[in-house]
């Protein structure tokens, strides 16, 4: 039995009680009771089970009504001691409104954070406060709320400036500091305290109650029945599908009921799935547990007595009532806070609020949400009690930590531990409230000092990660699923620590220093567990079998990145703290090094007369780890010593003498060598895990606290060491010492090692080592290393990104590291280094580097990847060539180093480096078969350039000559000493300058030599000036020559122009469209088109063929679709397709059939073979893959073989007129038929002449396309015998023409000559097909259609009832009449020709349309001035006459209009679209060229159009006699083009609209994915089970269902929370499209990830509208799915 019984009625006994009950009397009885608590509980015990939970289905309306009257009203009477409506109003009137806004955000509601003024990113404003604040003029971030937070308006700690909006601005006479209880009487305070105590205790007891069959003391029911609920609870483990399947089995319900149950469980956290006696419910529970316990823990199910459930329902209602009541008065809020935090006799953590928090993980989602809302509206809105609550909140964490560390704890406090084990997301846990308290600076400081919060959080985190190796380091390998789940949960603690640290203190107390340093020590313990974790060893010989786990360690590193940075910022804000933190970190690093042995043996290295003692260590053989957070933290603090000048002012306090530089550099150096060896391909056998680790090590998300800090540590070590010693250790770790240490070793090495792989590896390692030396010396843009500001560092990053190519704002933001506030600092400096280029209709806005900044380009910028470096080099060399400069890319001038790092420059002139440089240059002079590389030489040249610039700077900055200690030029000029006698570096460069194999580097070598020799700069300047003058002189000469040539040949130019004009006018005179022989496309005077053969090429077989009626059929790929693009009535219900008669199209065009084509031509048999191949391929693919493709073969869809445009049928090509041979063939058949008839003596009138001149293949294609149009247009199975087939073809022809005509008007294009070829070819083929399609149908049925069509205009006494003239679209009628007439004319012997018939049809239908316009579209007269020359008196008189005649029949329905000008103006406007459509139709039907006037926009359009159609420009001349065409009024004319809905300029208005949208089927629940239909403006609840609808027996999402009612299967939607446009076509096709909303940088923000304000781009919205009007949505989807195969796999029908 499923819970699907009828809603219960209110029992009659309760009805009588309801009538007799008095809340006032009950409250009075309570006030006189001796035991108030017991009396209230007795009342609840009596009434709650009578109101709630009386049956399987709840009745919320009755429950709300009765609960208010019987339960809440007495509480309010007791509270106010008078009528609550009056009492609560008085409280509200006397209340001082809070300066805090406190608006609690709904899911999806827009929130705003000021990037300039917010204390941190969590400080947000609601929309109303934001619009009334100063921040709307600042740089702000806009996001959508996940629900649960509240507006920070009025909180002075949340904003650096502008904390108040206009609404919450405090008054000058503000008395908010006084006690809010001062306004209440003592009696009122006592009553409030009593009632709040009882209600809160009752609610807390019931929501934390764990017994399923009993109630707390005092609430036992008077009568106890055997009625139970089987209650299913939500978790975040099982999927929707698992729950639905299980419920169908357990409670025997339908899928729809199971979906409803699952949706409610997911939303509210629990749902009753069965109601009945205990045994009945227990049976369902056992089935659910059994079915869900196979792979994971089972779903939580409880069999609960109905009275327990009833009291829990009211407990939620009571908490909501408390939230509501305290909103009337701050005094009531204060009392509730006191009651909630009041300690009981049980001692610590015994208050009601403590109980709620400690039992949080046991409650269901709905209960958690309600009490969280109460906490936010009470404790967090009262500044005094917010602090007390924060202390209590932290104590719970504190007790949890102590308990976890093994200490005895009397209380059972375990909130954080419970959360880690909880099966609900953090957003539903009380721990999520931490953001509301820990981000308040004063509270955070207090909690650090009073509750030791930092230490608590860090130790709790460390203790939860218990999986360690022998050295105590974290070990994530072989993590079980449960441990991985626990690791993900415990990461939220890092978020809490980030909240605590997010605001740096400006003033330090001794206690804050003490507690922070205690927390810092705990943090170092955490980092010590990470130092050296996940070590790797190089695989040799065999590839690694299993990829090791590496992601967990990097996840932890990324989570801690901002914490480490914030720790350093806190240290930097106080000198004492910085000194102590530095000592702690050094001690921790020393401790870590003490544990690393790795078989290190002492060795001595000697080179260039220097020697150093170090250890033997090979990265390629020993263990090495990429995780060194302790070393990196120390490196960061070391830089801060320099930046804050503590190192210079208090050197005695620092343990600098204890530092061992080789120890400092050892592990960072190993890490960098590991990266170099991976680049060299030495670690290939270690798999992708190591490659990924190296990638993230350099990635912008991690590099600040990984790669950058390793480099800084090397700089710190090198600055304290002899540079020769440093370089020898570097050579040793790179395993290159043996190559450079001996002069003859390289030659021996080259001879012995012919292995190309080893040679290539060593070359790469030398390149990487040289690059590392460049970085150690040259990376000075961190404040503290070089004398720079932080903005200089950001500028440099931006410059080097823009040196690669111009970039969008979002690309630049991604390339820059974010701080803890999600800011990059880019906006402060971007305008000084780049200029912004706005986007067009497509693309994005781009920043381009300012030319003057290009000189700061450094080819070896340390954050470039190899690919970036290559692109940047190519771009900069190209730019230099364009500017006429040499292509050398010398190093930029660097800022001076800070004193602590000043000795780094000595690396550039030390003996070891000079020896290395000389060695590489020597190899380049004597190239030896690839044993060196050009990249190596390029790095050497760059290093020499750096040294020369450094020397130049020191010379410029020195006061006296003997101050300079940098003599690089002197050293590179000296040759090597005996016995080698190697040439000097300068001599080698001179030699290389002329080396033919180094052409690429000659510019750089020349630049170096010029710099060394210090050539005369003035000479170069003079040459450049001369070159400029020479260029200007040449340009002036060329300009003069050009003018001279034109003057000399003026006659020739003039003659050419005259000849051109003459030939143009002659062609016009002799053309059939010249004014003397004006083109007419209809009637006996119709112009005859010139006969021409139509020869086309098949795209499949490439064979050329003439299009002939008796030849092989040629076809166009086409796509037929139902359409509502021109619909004026989307509410019209869809007719029954089996019975629907489509002969007459209603003027509202509620739906039509549109035909489009890509214009590509094939033989019919080639297309059939191609389509059969596609079918066979699809059949095989479905058996293998079982996924959708971008086309549905079963529905006849395919992709055009040439352009892959989606198609579903083909249009046969037909020629203009039959040729002579074909005509003779037809005549021959007719003569044959006559002979045979005469022999049988049949009268000639009974003969049936052959009326079908087409070949069999063309007839087959006529049938194919006709059947396809019929099938798609009516949504029925194909049936070529159905008499409606030709009607659907004519209808599609007329609808397509109307659609194209409206499109041309909207785009302001002329009627002829502006259509793309594909549309023009499609239109021509479609019209010719429509004129021939009747030949494949039953002749009597087509003739019957003609009779009925004509009866709509000319009443037929013998015919059936005909529709009103106002219920027929006249253009559809005209097309159908003209095209069906051929079926009558083929048996006509009257001598009337087709041209006359067409002319008469056009005249009669046009006149009928004029009557339509006069009957429906004439507004009341206006005072508009008459336009001069707008119409003649003849036209005005005629229209007045006709209108007067119509008014005599419709006195009450037509306005009285006396102005003929006014009437004629309305008629012209109304009839014009019809005439334009008719011109397109007859142009393609009869092949008459249009006059040139209709090929351009301009005046006189009306007259030329009428002339082309053979109509008088005064259409009223057609009127000769009045016929009563009166009928019910309908649509007006002219018919306006449909538009997509208007969108607001500011995207936040849309977000706000969506946030208030509730799911129509989930009882007021907020929709998770509100989606706006851009066609009709309906907001839908997309992508959810709750709003699924049934369509053709299949469950589909709300958007898919809506497309079939609004757009005939095609839809355009805006997913509001994702800022994403969604295109849908049918059930299985869809794609996402760029939204029309852009930020100030010309970019979309799909997913609202960046949060920049978005504004409507009207050009892009018009582009979407044009796509819709062109019926191009389905084609766009097809192209998108072919381009991106992942789109094919999406279940679009569920959206």
């Amino acid at each position: 039995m499923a819970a699907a019984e009828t809603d219960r009625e209110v029992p009659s006994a309760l009805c009588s009680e309801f009538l007799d009950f008095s809340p006032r009397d009950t409250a009075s009885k309570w006030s006189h009771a001796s035991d108030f608590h017991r009396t209230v509980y007795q009342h609840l015990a009596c009434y709650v089970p009578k109101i709630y939970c009386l049956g399987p289905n709840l009745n919320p309306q009755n429950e709300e009504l009765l609960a208010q009257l019987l339960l809440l009203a007495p509480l309010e009477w007791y509270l106010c001691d008078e009528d609550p409506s009056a009492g609560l109003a008085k409280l509200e009137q006397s209340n001082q409104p809070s300066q805090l806004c406190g608006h609690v955000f709904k899911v999806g509601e827009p929130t705003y954070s000021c990037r300039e003024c917010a204390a941190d990113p969590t400080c947000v404003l609601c929309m109303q406060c934001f619009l009334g604040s100063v921040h709307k003029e600042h740089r702000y971030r806009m996001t959508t709320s996940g629900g649960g937070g509240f507006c920070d308006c009025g909180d002075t700690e949340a904003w650096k400036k502008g904390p108040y909006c206009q609404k919450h601005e405090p008054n000058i006479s503000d008395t908010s500091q006084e006690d809010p209880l001062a306004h209440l009487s003592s009696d009122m305070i006592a009553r409030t305290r009593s009632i709040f105590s009882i209600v809160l205790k009752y609610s807390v007891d019931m929501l934390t109650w764990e017994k399923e069959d009993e109630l707390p003391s005092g609430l036992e029911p008077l009568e106890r029945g055997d009625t139970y609920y089987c209650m299913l609870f939500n978790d975040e483990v099982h999927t929707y599908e698992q729950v639905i399947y299980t419920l169908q089995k357990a409670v025997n319900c339908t899928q729809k009921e199971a979906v409803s149950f699952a949706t409610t469980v997911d939303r509210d956290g629990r749902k009753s799935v069965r109601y009945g006696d205990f045994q009945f419910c227990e049976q369902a529970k056992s089935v659910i547990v059994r079915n869900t316990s196979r792979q994971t823990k089972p779903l939580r199910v409880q069999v609960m007595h109905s009275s327990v459930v009833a009291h829990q329902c009211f407990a939620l209602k009571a908490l909501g009532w408390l939230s509501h009541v305290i909103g009337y008065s701050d005094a009531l809020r204060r009392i509730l806070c006191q009651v909630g935090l009041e300690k009981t006799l049980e001692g610590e953590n015994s208050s009601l609020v403590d109980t709620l928090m400690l039992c949080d993980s046991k409650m269901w989602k709905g209960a958690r949400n309600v009490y969280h809302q109460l906490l936010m509206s009470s404790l967090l809105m009262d500044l005094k009690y917010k602090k007390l609550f924060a202390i209590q909140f932290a104590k719970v964490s504190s007790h949890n930590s102590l308990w976890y560390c093994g200490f005895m704890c009397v209380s059972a406090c375990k909130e954080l531990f419970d959360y880690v084990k909880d099966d609900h997301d953090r957003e539903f846990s009380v721990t999520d409230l931490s953001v509301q308290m820990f981000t308040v600076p004063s509270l955070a400081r207090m909690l650090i000092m009073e509750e030791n919060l930092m230490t608590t959080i860090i130790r709790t985190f460390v203790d939860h990660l218990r999986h360690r190796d022998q050295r105590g380091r974290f070990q994530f390998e072989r993590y079980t699923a449960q441990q991985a789940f626990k690791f993900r949960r415990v990461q939220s603690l890092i978020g809490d620590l980030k909240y605590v640290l997010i605001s740096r203190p400006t003033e330090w107390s001794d206690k804050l220093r003490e507690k922070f340093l205690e927390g810092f020590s705990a943090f170092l313990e955490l980092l010590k567990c990470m130092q050296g974790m996940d070590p790797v060893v190089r695989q040799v010989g065999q590839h690694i079998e299993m990829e090791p786990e590496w992601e967990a360690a990097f996840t932890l590193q990324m989570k801690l990145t901002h914490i480490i940075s914030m720790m350093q910022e806190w240290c930097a804000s106080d000198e004492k703290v910085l000194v102590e933190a530095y000592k702690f970190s050094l001690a921790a690093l020393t401790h870590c090094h003490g544990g690393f042995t790795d078989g290190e043996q002492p060795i001595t290295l000697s080179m260039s007369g220097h020697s150093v003692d170090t250890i033997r260590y090979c990265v390629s053989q020993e263990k090495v780890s990429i995780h060194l957070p302790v070393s990196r933290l120390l490196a960061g603090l070391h830089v801060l010593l320099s930046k804050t000048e503590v190192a210079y002012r208090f050197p005695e306090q620092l343990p600098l003498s204890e530092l061992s530089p080789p120890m400092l550099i050892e592990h960072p150096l190993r890490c960098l060598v590991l990266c170099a060896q991976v680049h060299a391909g030495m670690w290939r056998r270690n798999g992708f895990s190591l490659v990924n680790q190296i990638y993230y090590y350099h990635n912008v998300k991690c590099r600040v606290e990984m790669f950058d800090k390793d480099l800084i540590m090397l700089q710190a070590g090198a600055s304290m060491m002899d540079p020769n010693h440093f370089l020898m250790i570097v050579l040793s770790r790179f395993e290159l010492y043996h190559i450079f240490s001996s002069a003859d070793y390289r030659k021996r090495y080259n001879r012995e090692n012919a292995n190309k792989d080893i040679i290539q590896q060593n070359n790469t390692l030398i390149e990487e080592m040289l690059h590392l030396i460049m970085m150690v010396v040259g990376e000075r843009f961190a404040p503290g290393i070089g004398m720079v500001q932080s903005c200089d560092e950001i500028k440099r990053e931006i410059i080097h990104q823009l040196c690669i190519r111009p970039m969008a704002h979002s690309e630049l933001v991604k390339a820059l590291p974010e701080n803890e506030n999600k800011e990059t600092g880019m906006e402060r400096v971007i305008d000084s280094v780049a200029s912004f280029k706005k986007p067009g209709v497509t693309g994005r806005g781009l920043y381009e580097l300012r030319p003057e900044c290009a000189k700061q380009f450094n080819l070896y910028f340390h954050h470039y990847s190899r690919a970036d470096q290559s692109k940047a080099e190519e771009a900069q060399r190209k730019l230099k060539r364009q500017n006429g400069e040499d292509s050398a890319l010398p190093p930029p001038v660097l800022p001076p180093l800070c004193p602590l790092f000043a000795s780094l420059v000595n690396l550039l002139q030390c003996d070891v480096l000079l020896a290395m440089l000389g060695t590489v240059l020597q190899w380049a002079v004597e190239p030896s078969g690839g044993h060196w590389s050009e990249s190596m030489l390029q790095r050497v040249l760059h290093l020499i350039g750096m040294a020369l610039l450094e020397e130049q700077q020191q010379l410029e900055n020195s006061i006296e000559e003997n101050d300079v200690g940098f003599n690089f030029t002197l050293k590179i000029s000296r040759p090597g000493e005996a016995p080698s006698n190697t040439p000097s570096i300068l001599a080698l460069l001179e030699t290389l300058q002329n080396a033919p194999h180094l052409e690429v580097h000659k510019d750089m070598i020349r630049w170096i030599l010029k710099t060394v020799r210090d050539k005369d700069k003035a000479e170069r300047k003079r040459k450049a000036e001369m070159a400029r003058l020479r260029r200007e002189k040449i340009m002036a000469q060329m300009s003069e020559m050009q003018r001279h040539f034109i003057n000399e040949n003026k006659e020739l130019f003039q003659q050419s122009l005259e000849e051109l004009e003459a030939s143009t006018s002659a062609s016009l005179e002799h053309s059939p469209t010249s004014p003397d022989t004006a083109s007419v496309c209809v009637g006996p005077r119709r112009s005859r088109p010139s006969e021409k053969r139509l020869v086309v090429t098949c795209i499949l077989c490439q064979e050329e063929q003439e299009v002939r009626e008796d030849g092989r059929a040629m076809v166009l790929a086409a796509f037929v679709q139902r359409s509502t693009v021109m619909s004026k009535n989307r509410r019209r219900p869809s007719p029954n397709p089996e019975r629907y008669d489509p002969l007459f199209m209603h003027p509202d065009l509620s739906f039509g059939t549109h035909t489009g084509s890509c214009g590509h031509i094939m033989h019919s048999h080639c297309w059939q073979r191609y389509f059969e191949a596609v079918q066979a391929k699809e059949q095989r693919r479905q058996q293998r893959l079982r996924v959708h493709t971008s086309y549905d073969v079963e529905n006849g869809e395919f992709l055009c073989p040439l352009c892959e445009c989606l198609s579903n049928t083909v249009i046969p090509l037909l020629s203009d007129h039959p040729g002579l041979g074909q005509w003779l063939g037809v005549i021959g058949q007719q003569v044959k038929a006559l002979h045979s008839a005469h022999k049988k003596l049949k009268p000639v009138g009974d003969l049936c002449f052959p009326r079908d001149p087409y070949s069999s293949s063309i007839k087959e294609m006529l049938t194919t396309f006709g059947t396809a149009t019929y099938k798609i247009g009516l949504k029925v199975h194909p049936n070529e015998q159905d008499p409606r087939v030709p009607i659907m073809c004519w209808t599609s022809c007329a609808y397509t023409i109307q659609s194209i005509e409206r499109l041309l008007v909207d785009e302001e294009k002329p009627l002829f000559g502006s259509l793309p070829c594909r549309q023009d070819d499609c239109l021509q083929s479609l019209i010719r097909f429509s004129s021939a399609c009747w030949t494949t149908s039953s002749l009597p049925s087509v003739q019957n259609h003609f009779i009925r069509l004509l009866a709509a205009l000319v009443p037929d006494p013998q015919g059936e009832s005909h529709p009103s003239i106002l219920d027929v679209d006249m253009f559809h009628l005209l097309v159908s009449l003209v095209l069906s007439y051929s079926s009558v004319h083929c048996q006509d012997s009257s001598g009337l020709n087709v041209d006359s018939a067409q002319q008469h049809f056009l005249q009669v239908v046009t006149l009928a349309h004029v009557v339509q316009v006069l009957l429906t579209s004439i507004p009341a007269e206006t005072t508009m001035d008459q336009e001069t020359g707008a119409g003649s008196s003849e036209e005005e008189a005629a229209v007045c006459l006709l209108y007067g005649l119509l008014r005599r029949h419709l006195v009450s329905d037509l306005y009285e209009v006396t102005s003929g000008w006014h009437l004629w103006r309305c008629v012209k406007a109304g009839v014009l679209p019809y005439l334009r459509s008719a011109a397109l139709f007859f142009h393609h039907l009869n092949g008459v060229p249009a006059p040139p006037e209709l090929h351009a926009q301009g005046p006189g359009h009306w007259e030329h159009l009428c002339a082309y159609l053979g109509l008088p420009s005064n259409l009223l001349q057609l009127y000769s006699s009045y016929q009563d065409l009166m009928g019910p009024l309908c649509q007006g004319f002219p018919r306006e083009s449909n538009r997509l809905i208007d969108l607001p300029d500011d995207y936040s208005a849309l977000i706000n609209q969506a946030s208030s949208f509730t799911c129509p089927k989930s009882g007021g629940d907020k929709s998770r994915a509100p989606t706006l239909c851009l066609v009709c403006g309906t907001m839908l609840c997309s992508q959810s089970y709750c709003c699924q609808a049934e369509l053709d027996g299949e469950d589909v999402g709300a958007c898919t269902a809506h497309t079939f009612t609004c757009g005939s299967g095609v839809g355009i939607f805006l997913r509001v929370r994702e800022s994403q446009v969604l295109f849908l076509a049918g059930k299985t096709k869809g794609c996402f499209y760029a939204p029309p909303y852009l930020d100030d940088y010309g970019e979309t923000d799909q997913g609202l990830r960046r949060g920049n304000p978005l504004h409507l781009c009207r050009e892009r919205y018009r582009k979407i509208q044009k796509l819709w009007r062109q019926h191009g949505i389905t084609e766009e989807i097809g192209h998108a799915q072919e381009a991106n195969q992942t789109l094919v796999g999406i279940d679009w029908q569920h959206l």
Side-chain angles (χ1 to χ4, degrees), residues 616-637:
R616 185 189 302 280
Y617 182 88
C618 288
V619 173
S620 60
Q621 295 172 13
E622 308 285 348
K623 285 183 177 180
V624 61
S625 171
I626 210 165
H627 296 285
L628 306 167
V630 178
S631 301
R632 291 161 186 159
L633 177 59
L634 182 65
L637 294 174

Side-chain angles (χ1 to χ4, degrees), residues 27 30 68 71-85 87-88 191 195 321 324-325 328:
W30 290 354
Q68 180 61 41
L71 302 174
L72 299 180
L75 296 176
E76 292 172 358
W77 271 95
Y78 181 86
L79 178 73
C80 301
D81 200 23
E82 59 178 320
D83 188 336
S85 59
L88 293 174
R191 284 199 313 276
I195 204 72
W321 176 79
H324 172 71
V325 164
Y328 287 102

Side-chain angles (χ1 to χ4, degrees), residues 1128-1253:
K1128 294 297 178 185
N1129 182 7
R1130 296 182 188 281
R1131 298 183 183 278
R1132 186 184 290 274
S1134 298
N1136 183 339
E1138 299 299 334
R1139 299 178 190 162
Y1140 175 58
D1141 179 8
L1143 188 63
F1144 294 103
M1145 172 65 79
H1146 196 280
D1148 65 13
L1149 301 181
S1150 57
F1151 74 90
T1153 311
H1154 182 272
T1155 301
S1157 170
C1158 62
H1160 292 127
I1161 301 169
M1162 301 166 274
H1163 285 109
S1164 61
H1165 60 271
C1166 290
W1167 168 72
Q1168 283 168 325
R1169 279 203 302 268
Y1170 167 74
F1171 186 63
E1172 285 163 8
V1174 169
Q1175 281 181 310
K1177 179 183 172 186
E1178 177 66 11
Q1179 211 167 5
R1180 291 194 302 271
R1181 193 196 58 75
Q1182 279 182 342
Q1183 291 168 356
R1184 292 198 314 271
L1185 303 176
R1186 299 180 185 278
V1187 292
H1188 298 301
T1189 55
S1190 60
Y1191 54 93
D1192 183 0
V1193 174
E1194 289 181 7
N1195 278 332
E1197 291 181 354
F1198 61 94
L1199 299 181
C1200 168
L1202 187 61
C1203 66
E1204 295 193 334
C1205 196
L1206 186 67
S1207 310
N1208 57 8
T1209 185
V1210 288
I1211 310 176
L1213 287 183
L1214 303 174
S1215 67
D1216 253 343
H1217 297 285
L1220 177 62
Q1222 186 186 343
W1223 179 78
L1224 287 173
V1226 173
I1227 288 295
Q1229 286 181 303
Q1230 289 176 340
V1231 169
K1232 209 178 284 184
L1234 284 168
H1235 281 309
S1236 116
H1238 287 158
K1239 285 175 186 173
K1240 295 178 183 177
L1241 302 174
K1242 279 190 179 178
V1244 178
D1246 295 343
L1247 289 179
C1248 186
F1249 288 131
R1251 60 186 175 87
D1252 190 352

Side-chain angles (χ1 to χ4, degrees), residues 795-820:
K795 274 185 192 176
R796 185 165 179 256
E797 291 280 350
I798 295 171
I799 287 169
H800 283 85
Q801 289 301 321
L802 295 180
C803 280
I804 302 171
R805 57 183 170 80
M807 287 188 177
H809 182 268
S810 58
E811 290 178 291
L812 281 172
V813 168
K814 282 179 189 171
L816 299 173
E818 288 183 339
N819 63 10
E820 65 279 2

Side-chain angles (χ1 to χ4, degrees), residues 1297-1298 1301-1302 1305 1311 1371 1409 1467-1479 1502 1505 1533-1536:
I1297 293 170
Q1298 285 178 311
E1301 186 275 329
R1302 286 290 86 199
V1305 169
L1311 186 60
F1371 181 68
H1409 193 39
V1467 166
K1468 280 181 71 172
V1471 174
L1472 187 59
Y1474 159 84
L1475 292 180
R1476 287 166 56 87
S1477 299
W1502 171 268
L1505 188 60
F1533 297 91
R1535 187 183 292 114
E1536 291 293 326

Side-chain angles (χ1 to χ4, degrees), residues 1043-1098:
R1043 278 198 300 274
H1044 185 62
F1045 178 80
I1046 290 172
N1047 288 333
E1048 274 193 351
N1049 298 279
K1050 189 179 287 184
E1051 294 174 5
L1052 178 66
F1053 275 84
Q1054 189 64 36
Q1055 186 183 344
S1056 300
L1057 287 168
E1058 286 170 1
E1059 285 176 2
L1060 182 64
E1061 287 172 8
S1063 63
T1064 306
S1065 59
S1067 65
L1068 285 172
E1069 283 172 16
H1070 293 96
S1071 70
T1073 57
S1074 61
D1076 294 338
T1077 55
S1079 291
V1080 179
C1081 63
V1082 190
R1085 295 188 296 109
R1086 168 163 78 87
S1087 308
R1088 301 299 162 188
S1090 56
E1091 292 188 14
K1092 54 183 179 183
R1093 293 169 65 232
L1094 180 61
V1095 180
V1096 293
T1097 305
C1098 171

Side-chain angles (χ1 to χ4, degrees), residues 1515-1546:
L1515 294 182
L1516 274 303
Q1517 290 176 9
L1518 299 173
Y1519 171 65
S1520 57
S1521 63
Y1522 176 77
Q1523 295 182 14
D1524 187 8
L1525 304 176
M1526 236 290 295
L1529 300 184
C1530 72
Q1531 280 287 98
F1533 297 91
R1535 187 183 292 114
E1536 291 293 326
S1537 296
N1538 282 345
R1539 299 177 179 278
L1540 297 181
I1541 63 168
D1542 290 331
L1543 291 177
D1545 282 332
D1546 191 338

